[in-house]
Amino acid sequence: MRVIALVAVCVFFAGCSSNKVDDFKSNQNAKVYSFDSIGKLSGAPLAVDPIKGELSESDSLVVIDGQKTAFDIYSFKSAPGAHMLTMKTYCDCLGFNKDLLLPEVRVVDASGKIIETSLMSKRRVQPLLGAFYFEFTWVFDTVTADTVKIVIGSNNQNLGDVATTVSGTGAVGVPSASATYYTSFTIDGLKVRSAPYGKYEVFAE
């Protein structure tokens, strides 16, 4: 009985510790879009009510700054002025591999032009129950009333490589908007890797 229980535990953790980086690199079947072409795709409406999403191996890919990423696309009805885009990405901390999606976002107007976004804040949140998450907030401006497209992807620069390892309890491993994302970091003794896939929540206002 103990042997069966031990085998079950091993199978459980093995299943929960799949290597998302290897899965991403070996995925040869996904459809790949150029960034210029995805503005024609329809997107789920985004507003102040958070939407739960997930980038996964079954998603199509888009090329952003020369890097392939799985992506989701949303539409947002914007009035003239400043807007905020907030995204929470959750640590997949069950199993031997600890993974976290570090986002790459683009806002595109109706003409296909990329609207500049500025990373206003980033913080790590540790709930009383469950795994921690990172919360990112970007700001962007629209000149006229417009329905813009918001593209959610992952930062896959140097994916799978260990760029550096840092320790601490704050929002570590998340640099400024202009810096290179870390691909490995430790939080409270857990070594966490940036992953090409992961769960998130997003809303805009």
Side-chain angles (χ1 to χ4, degrees), residues 35-75:
F35 190 84
D36 292 339
S37 66
I38 63 173
K40 302 175 183 178
L41 301 178
S42 60
L46 191 63
V48 294
D49 294 327
I51 292 178
K52 293 183 178 181
E54 181 176 7
L55 298 185
S56 68
E57 190 176 358
S58 62
D59 290 333
S60 298
L61 305 178
V62 66
V63 179
I64 298 179
D65 293 340
Q67 300 291 327
K68 292 181 182 178
T69 172
F71 74 97
D72 286 333
I73 187 168
Y74 298 94
S75 62

Side-chain angles (χ1 to χ4, degrees), residues 1-21:
M1 198 62 161
R2 291 181 179 177
V3 173
I4 295 175
L6 181 60
V7 170
V9 169
C10 291
V11 170
F12 172 77
F13 277 106
C16 293
S17 61
S18 60
N19 192 320
K20 295 178 182 178
V21 174

Side-chain angles (χ1 to χ4, degrees), residues 169-193:
T169 57
V172 297
V174 184
S176 66
S178 61
T180 300
Y181 280 92
Y182 297 128
T183 56
S184 177
F185 52 95
T186 59
I187 294 179
D188 299 340
L190 294 178
K191 185 175 181 179
V192 183
R193 301 184 312 167

